[in-house]
Amino acid sequence: MKGVCRLGFFLGIFAYLYLPIVILVANSFNANRYGLQWDGFTLQWFLAMAGNASLMEAARHSLFVAVCAATAATLIGALAAIGFSRYRFPGRRLFQGTLMTLMMAPDIILAISLLVLFVVVGISLGFWSLLLAHITFCLPFTVVTVSARLQDFDPFLLDAARDLGASELQILGRIVLPLLRPALLASWLLCFTLSLDDVIVSSFVTGPSYDVLPLKIFSMVKVGVKPEVNALATIMVGLSLVLVLLSQLLLKEREGYGPLR
Amino acid sequence: MKSSGRTERLVTVLVSLWLVLFGVVPLLLLVATSFFAQDPIDFFRLAPSLESYRQLLDPGYLQVMRRSVQFAALTTLLCLLIGYPFAWYTSRLSRPARVLVLVLLMIPFWTNSLVRTYAIRMVLGSQGLLNQALLALGIIDSPLRLLYTDTAVVLGLFYLMLPFMILPLYACLEKLDYRLVEAARDLGAGFLQTLLRIVWPLSLPGVYAGCIMVFVPTMGLFYVATLLGGARQLLVGNLIQQQFLNARNWPLGSATSVVLILMMALMLTGYWLVLRRLAGRRRQ
Amino acid sequence: MATSVLSLCGLSKSFAGHRVVDDFSLEIGQAEFVTLLGPSGCGKTTLLRLIAGFEHPDSGRILLDGVDLLPLPPEKRQVNTVFQSYALFPHLRVFDNVAFGLRLRRMRGEELRRQVAEALALVQMSPFADRFPGQLSGGQQQRVAVARAIINRPRVLLLDEPLSALDARLRREMQVELKRLQRELGIAFVLVTHDQEEALSMSDRLVVMAEGRIAQLGTPREVYEEPNSLAVARFIGEINLFPGRVAERLADGRLLLALGDQEMTVAGKSGLAPGQAVQLLLRPEDLRLVERHEEGMPVFHGAIVERSYRGSTLDTIILLDEGRQLRACEFFDEDDPDFDYRVGERVRVSWVRGWEVVLADEE
């Protein structure tokens, strides 16, 4: 009885989480423009989407920014995590506090504060402002992911490598980076997703010259149902599905080593 | 570590600079802006003024603030009510089942939130699935107006924020030593007593973390309010967006966000105090 | 020691104003097994890290084969460490863990394979070469850690509590194993431990450390049988103490001791003068529960309060009439394999002349 309740609870929640997405995906293949009833299978909305030049351009922009932001944030974040895990310095706690605040702060605060900065400093709103903003809100996540991984290390691993004759560079190349690889890939994927997902920050810090996907979608659906958006959304759902599974596989790989200590 | 000291120092300094430049300085600028005079052409004028803070106390403005807090509180409560049993059940599952549940939870979480809000809109629309189902079942005679209601906004916010509640709760409950529960049962505590006296107090850090992750960010989700609640100013986020992007009244928008920052700071301080109290207790 | 391989001269190291290693000097011979024994916080691990190069001493010198080690970073020192946590690289298989040091020295191909196979065979881990560390038991990880450390042919192998994570049976097995390995390799081993049994059974020489200094240095037998202070005695093995006082120095140099209202003579010892308070130290296995005691030896009266059968010995706790408790440990012998005591039985306690150790009462 208890088991049935629990199963029902899970099913209910997952139904709530998934039903809207399933309907969205179904409608992207539905010949009925408004998704009122099933009028047969069609791919016409995908074609319409591909034919919408401004939508496609926004998609290209979004992917490009996401790749750049994820790469930069992972790189900077990993270096920061490695540096901070091994190098004690005054203001370390302040640094951690800033990171946590950045991570916890509502997107909208980050968005407008960066907008103010860009305008005051005189960076025109467009690709660069967008990229800088995305790197900034991704950074805490990469630092946290990589730091968590570093903390899992037996601190004597590095001593052991030195003891056996490894130089700093060899330790980095042979021990630290291989052990960090799953964390690096996972945080890259997370940043990529965060960047693609972001509506709030992007809507403040990009300009008309550089339209990105979430903003394009937002302005398209504000007024009503757009079947091209359904098609695009289906692709994005598929993409996130792949990314989640990929990151899970990365976590699996880590377990293959067995306990780290 | 001497040989690498210089590189590490350099990296540390560079990253710290980045954080200061893009984390601390913008916040200070934002706070500063809120104390400047308003100017519809140049966004703001470099003259000290408390005008924006006076406008915050305007009854209409206060009304939106109050409703925004209500929305956020309701969403947080809903997330907690549903998220707590979810996290608890999940933490008690076998390992493979746990991974499955978490992955299933993460997939929507990793899906674009705008797309998901849009999906909810399709379900709630007057000709959407929910109305069609209710009509077909004969529960209602004519379509209900679901979209552009407060209920729709709360349902949407709940939909987006639920994982933010579940994950900290789960992280906390997963670490809970199940033998404590068994010990409580062994000593004669019933289900409810075990929950109230053992599990709940021990999970408080997770509860606080979850509430912080849901409450303040919820107030910023202007696009959810726009898509599901119509063109009304429902959330603080809408106010800020309005002031910054349409009214070009930066000082007022900044003052509004300062309120949000203060709320956040308040909650984080509370969280920190709770953590410290718990840590202190553990040390004894 | 003529063939000293490692010399520690006046090493000192402080952390945050606290002296962890204090003017420490020691010579370690070629192929010698030296154990640093002491309670946690006595500086033994720090000493090991100084030798390995992970810490730098505030003062003092470390010479390896007469060459100053201090300017060299850890990776350049011909000294290798077996870490307490083993510190095996989790992403490398056993083979690659062991090969790590050789690969850094650019060894490749057949020679590399041969040497790794040899090292693995030495620790009996050949069948596990393809496993990841996470797939090994604690004892197996321990063996891999040793193989990885000896493959660079260090002049000295440092072992930091290498057996502390193993269960009792495995620990004894590895003690024998390590001892064998040390004989086969013929290099110096420096072992850090807080397990006195381990220290006694494995070392050629034993260094008992307290507060960063050498409390006593000697063979295990010397340290156990002739501890030079109460602290050392307490740390190694169980002890019974009999308080007394030096009554006078006899003409032949021997000392007359007063133990309560009894007297006995002991061999003379420098540093003890008439009037000085002393403690007579006796190990549980030195005490005899006797019917008739040796002439001129003190005897103490009491009753058995506890007895426990330990297989080869019978352990008893005796409450003396004067109020102190003693522990005695008697071996079963062939003449009387069934001897036993009842709780409450009255006994007389004494010992064989000369088995007592007389120490000045520092407390």
Side-chain angles (χ1 to χ4, degrees):
Chain A
M1 186 56 216
K2 213 173 135 198
V4 175
C5 276
R6 187 179 310 184
L7 191 67
F9 178 74
F10 274 125
L11 285 180
I13 300 294
F14 282 128
Y16 185 68
L17 289 180
Y18 279 89
L19 218 53
I21 298 178
V22 170
I23 290 167
L24 180 75
V25 171
N27 272 339
S28 70
F29 298 107
N30 189 348
N32 185 310
R33 184 175 178 85
Y34 298 102
L36 302 180
Q37 67 208 50
W38 185 254
D39 284 352
F41 181 86
T42 178
L43 287 176
Q44 69 181 102
W45 311 126
F46 286 87
L47 293 174
M49 173 196 79
N52 186 332
S54 67
L55 193 61
M56 284 296 98
E57 191 197 35
R60 269 198 309 279
H61 287 169
S62 273
L63 283 176
F64 185 61
V65 168
V67 168
C68 293
T71 309
T74 303
L75 212 70
I76 301 172
L79 285 174
I82 294 173
F84 290 121
S85 74
R86 306 190 52 190
Y87 177 46
R88 320 256 140 199
F89 61 99
R92 196 179 142 95
R93 290 185 60 112
L94 187 75
F95 165 80
Q96 280 165 337
T98 315
L99 266 185
M100 286 317 286
T101 315
L102 266 184
M103 195 154 83
M104 303 282 275
D107 287 348
I108 193 145
I109 301 291
L110 198 72
I112 52 176
S113 58
L114 283 172
L115 171 64
V116 174
L117 175 80
F118 292 144
V119 169
V120 167
V121 174
I123 299 176
S124 65
L125 299 182
F127 171 74
W128 287 107
S129 59
L130 195 65
L131 181 62
L132 287 174
H134 280 211
I135 293 173
T136 303
F137 74 68
C138 285
L139 202 53
F141 292 92
T142 63
V143 175
V144 166
T145 314
V146 177
S147 295
R149 177 76 182 155
L150 282 172
Q151 269 164 20
D152 272 357
F153 282 7
D154 180 345
F156 291 110
L157 281 183
L158 306 184
D159 280 351
R162 296 203 78 184
D163 189 60
L164 294 167
S167 66
E168 276 297 326
L169 217 60
Q170 284 169 320
I171 292 177
L172 194 70
R174 287 170 185 256
I175 307 294
V176 177
L177 285 183
L179 282 173
L180 282 184
R181 203 185 51 185
L184 293 179
L185 289 174
S187 77
W188 192 91
L189 289 176
L190 182 62
C191 292
F192 182 78
T193 315
L194 285 172
S195 169
L196 267 191
D197 183 43
D198 170 70
V199 187
I200 296 179
V201 175
S202 303
S203 53
F204 285 90
V205 297
T206 193
S209 65
Y210 206 80
D211 209 0
V212 285
L213 211 43
L215 299 187
K216 188 76 192 158
I217 296 177
F218 188 44
S219 63
M220 282 172 80
V221 300
K222 243 191 260 182
V223 277
V225 174
K226 287 282 185 325
E228 305 103 286
V229 173
N230 294 355
L232 186 65
T234 298
I235 291 175
M236 292 176 85
V237 169
L239 187 65
S240 50
L241 198 70
V242 171
L243 293 180
V244 174
L245 294 179
L246 214 61
S247 69
Q248 281 302 311
L249 280 179
L250 292 174
L251 287 175
K252 272 268 154 43
E253 181 190 6
R254 178 177 88 179
E255 280 154 19
Y257 299 145
L260 282 167
R261 283 173 191 273
Chain B
M1 260 158 249
K2 259 171 295 158
S3 55
S4 68
R6 202 172 310 151
T7 334
E8 273 167 18
R9 207 169 309 224
L10 191 71
V11 168
T12 314
V13 166
L14 282 180
V15 177
S16 300
L17 265 180
W18 182 291
L19 280 178
V20 169
L21 189 59
F22 294 106
V24 180
V25 169
L27 268 184
L28 295 179
L29 282 176
L30 185 67
V31 175
T33 310
S34 73
F35 289 103
F36 287 143
Q38 303 170 358
D39 185 323
I41 292 144
D42 286 335
F43 304 125
F44 60 89
R45 222 159 7 92
L46 280 175
S49 158
L50 285 175
E51 173 64 13
S52 303
Y53 286 94
R54 202 194 51 71
Q55 284 179 17
L56 279 187
L57 299 176
D58 184 78
Y61 220 80
L62 273 184
Q63 166 79 1
V64 179
M65 294 277 225
R66 220 189 55 229
R67 288 195 21 104
S68 182
V69 169
Q70 282 171 352
F71 270 116
L74 201 59
T75 306
T76 310
L77 194 69
L78 205 57
C79 284
L80 187 62
L81 280 178
I82 302 293
Y84 200 90
F86 189 100
W88 172 250
Y89 284 150
T90 308
S91 70
R92 299 270 64 83
L93 290 174
S94 70
R95 218 187 128 61
R98 230 184 307 167
V99 172
L100 180 71
V101 167
L102 287 179
V103 169
L104 283 177
L105 186 70
M106 290 307 280
I107 290 172
F109 189 40
W110 281 47
T111 305
N112 191 296
S113 48
L114 188 62
V115 166
R116 280 183 293 150
T117 313
Y118 171 63
I120 292 198
R121 212 164 99 119
M122 284 173 58
V123 175
L124 294 181
S126 61
Q127 311 236 299
L129 189 85
L130 195 59
N131 265 319
Q132 286 189 17
L134 291 176
L135 281 171
L137 291 172
I139 298 172
I140 52 172
D141 309 323
S142 57
L144 290 176
R145 200 184 104 116
L146 292 169
L147 202 57
Y148 305 133
T149 61
D150 292 355
T151 316
V153 175
V154 171
L155 284 179
L157 292 172
F158 164 69
Y159 184 83
L160 293 188
M161 299 313 279
L162 183 61
F164 290 96
M165 179 64 86
I166 290 179
L167 291 178
L169 280 177
Y170 169 77
C172 197
L173 287 170
E174 193 216 4
K175 272 184 284 182
L176 187 130
D177 184 353
Y178 195 68
R179 282 170 300 181
L180 295 177
V181 175
E182 285 168 350
R185 299 299 277 266
D186 183 61
L187 294 168
F191 168 76
L192 208 61
Q193 282 171 314
T194 311
L195 179 68
L196 289 180
R197 287 165 187 266
I198 308 295
V199 179
W200 175 261
L202 286 173
S203 64
L204 275 183
V207 172
Y208 280 91
C211 288
I212 293 175
M213 303 266 280
V214 172
F215 185 78
V216 182
T218 296
M219 289 192 272
L221 295 175
F222 62 84
Y223 59 93
V224 178
T226 307
L227 287 182
L228 299 176
R232 292 175 294 158
Q233 307 282 315
L234 292 177
L235 297 177
V236 174
N238 297 85
L239 287 181
I240 297 176
Q241 188 212 18
Q242 165 75 20
Q243 297 308 327
F244 267 88
L245 298 187
N246 303 332
R248 296 168 75 91
N249 187 345
W250 282 21
L252 182 55
S254 304
T256 316
S257 54
V258 167
V259 174
L260 218 52
I261 295 171
L262 287 180
M263 273 191 217
M264 186 81 201
L266 209 66
M267 293 191 75
L268 281 176
T269 312
Y271 177 60
W272 181 71
L273 286 177
V274 167
L275 279 189
R276 212 180 54 163
R277 215 184 61 212
L278 288 180
R281 207 185 288 161
R282 213 154 288 150
R283 220 171 294 129
Q284 288 157 14
Chain C
M1 195 146 307
T3 53
S4 154
V5 54
L6 184 69
S7 318
L8 311 177
C9 317
L11 285 178
S12 292
K13 175 75 184 172
S14 299
F15 291 112
H18 176 65
R19 271 219 158 175
V20 183
V21 173
D22 191 3
D23 194 21
F24 189 100
S25 299
L26 182 67
E27 298 284 321
I28 293 167
Q30 195 111 33
E32 192 183 20
F33 199 124
V34 175
T35 300
L36 304 175
L37 177 68
S40 57
C42 71
K44 53 194 194 308
T45 294
T46 304
L47 199 59
L48 219 55
R49 291 176 64 80
L50 287 173
I51 301 172
F54 301 124
E55 308 285 352
H56 206 78
D58 302 331
S59 60
R61 302 204 310 149
I62 304 175
L63 303 178
L64 185 70
D65 292 322
V67 177
D68 189 3
L69 271 190
L70 290 184
L72 298 178
E75 62 266 29
K76 298 265 158 58
R77 300 189 182 190
Q78 248 193 321
V79 166
N80 286 112
T81 306
V82 176
F83 291 84
Q84 182 174 9
S85 57
Y86 314 141
L88 296 178
F89 306 125
H91 61 302
L92 300 180
R93 291 174 195 277
V94 166
F95 182 94
D96 300 309
N97 258 286
V98 176
F100 190 84
L102 295 180
R103 290 208 169 112
L104 290 175
R105 293 193 284 142
R106 313 227 168 273
M107 188 184 288
R108 297 276 180 275
E110 200 44 50
E111 180 61 14
L112 176 96
R113 262 194 295 282
R114 193 186 60 73
Q115 287 200 19
V116 172
E118 203 172 278
L120 283 175
L122 208 55
V123 296
Q124 296 164 10
M125 284 297 291
S126 305
F128 302 96
D130 288 334
R131 299 267 186 100
F132 282 105
Q135 299 165 328
L136 300 178
S137 71
Q140 291 169 332
Q141 293 188 20
Q142 164 72 67
R143 287 164 188 269
V144 176
V146 172
R148 187 180 67 175
I150 58 173
I151 201 145
N152 277 356
R153 295 166 199 258
R155 303 282 293 138
V156 179
L157 186 70
L158 307 174
L159 302 109
D160 185 7
E161 308 232 9
L163 307 180
S164 61
L166 305 179
D167 65 44
R169 197 183 54 80
L170 207 54
R171 202 178 316 162
R172 253 184 299 279
E173 210 178 290
M174 282 307 296
Q175 286 172 9
V176 176
E177 223 17 32
L178 282 177
K179 200 66 193 146
R180 174 186 66 83
L181 207 60
Q182 192 243 346
R183 268 195 309 274
E184 280 180 30
L185 292 170
I187 60 173
F189 275 34
V190 180
L191 174 82
V192 156
T193 184
H194 63 262
D195 180 337
Q196 36 134 331
E197 193 198 315
E198 193 171 296
L200 290 174
S201 67
M202 296 175 78
S203 345
D204 297 326
R205 275 197 307 158
L206 191 55
V207 181
V208 183
M209 288 185 66
E211 289 165 0
R213 293 166 170 276
I214 297 182
Q216 188 168 3
L217 168 64
T219 65
R221 179 179 288 264
E222 282 165 4
V223 173
Y224 186 77
E225 293 185 354
E226 298 287 338
N228 62 4
S229 69
L230 279 176
V232 171
R234 281 220 174 85
F235 192 72
I236 299 185
E238 294 214 52
I239 52 169
N240 293 300
L241 293 176
F242 295 90
R245 178 173 304 280
V246 180
E248 61 182 290
R249 183 175 287 272
L250 300 175
D252 56 2
R254 300 179 351 122
L255 298 172
L256 182 67
L257 300 186
L259 300 172
D261 52 4
Q262 308 187 61
E263 290 190 331
M264 73 173 295
T265 53
V266 297
K269 191 172 176 184
S270 64
L272 291 180
Q276 186 168 3
V278 295
Q279 295 274 10
L280 244 61
L281 181 142
L282 283 144
R283 302 283 182 191
E285 61 271 23
D286 294 340
L287 288 182
R288 291 283 175 270
L289 278 58
V290 292
E291 274 145 35
R292 179 181 296 265
H293 65 278
E294 206 179 323
E295 195 60 36
M297 288 295 291
V299 65
F300 296 84
H301 300 268
I304 304 280
V305 291
E306 208 174 288
R307 60 163 285 281
S308 54
Y309 173 76
R310 303 254 172 198
S312 56
T313 62
L314 184 68
D315 292 7
T316 47
I317 296 179
I318 302 133
L319 181 63
L320 294 183
D321 295 346
E322 59 193 77
R324 280 180 305 119
Q325 280 199 349
L326 300 179
R327 279 173 183 278
C329 165
E330 293 179 285
F331 284 87
F332 292 99
D333 64 31
E334 283 156 17
D335 301 341
D336 185 8
D338 300 322
F339 85 92
D340 202 349
Y341 301 99
R342 280 174 295 106
V343 169
E345 187 174 338
R346 300 282 305 166
V347 290
R348 290 140 55 91
V349 182
S350 188
W351 61 88
V352 176
R353 183 185 298 278
W355 286 7
E356 72 281 336
V357 175
V358 184
L359 294 170
D361 190 351
E362 311 136 21
E363 283 145 25

